[in-house]
Amino acid sequence: KGNVLRLQLGLFHPAALAAVCGLAKYRRRLTLAAGEVPALSLTLKPGEDVLEAARTLVEDLTLAAEK
């Protein structure tokens, strides 16, 4: 929606989320909304491709969860 990408989390891995939220590339851009269905919101940079941003974020979360 607009310049914000919102992903609902099917699986909740607190350590992986903390690791990804701490990455420099997501600083001041990524927020976690805890609720009945946890979700991440990523503010996109001007001109950033939404699908590429989503793919990168999912890959980063997957790698962090595997550690």
Side-chain angles (χ1 to χ4, degrees), residues 3-67:
N3 68 334
V4 177
L5 170 67
R6 182 176 162 93
L7 299 174
Q8 292 184 335
L9 304 173
L11 298 174
F12 189 76
H13 296 282
L17 290 171
V20 170
C21 287
L23 294 174
K25 64 181 169 182
Y26 296 121
R27 204 157 288 145
R28 292 186 295 270
R29 298 180 56 213
L30 188 63
T31 56
L32 173 65
E36 190 173 316
V37 179
L40 284 174
S41 294
L42 176 66
T43 301
L44 300 170
K45 295 177 183 177
E48 186 173 19
D49 181 80
V50 67
L51 292 178
E52 182 64 24
R55 184 186 64 77
T56 301
L57 179 55
V58 169
E59 285 177 356
D60 289 340
L61 286 166
T62 301
L63 289 172
E66 291 173 351
K67 291 183 180 180

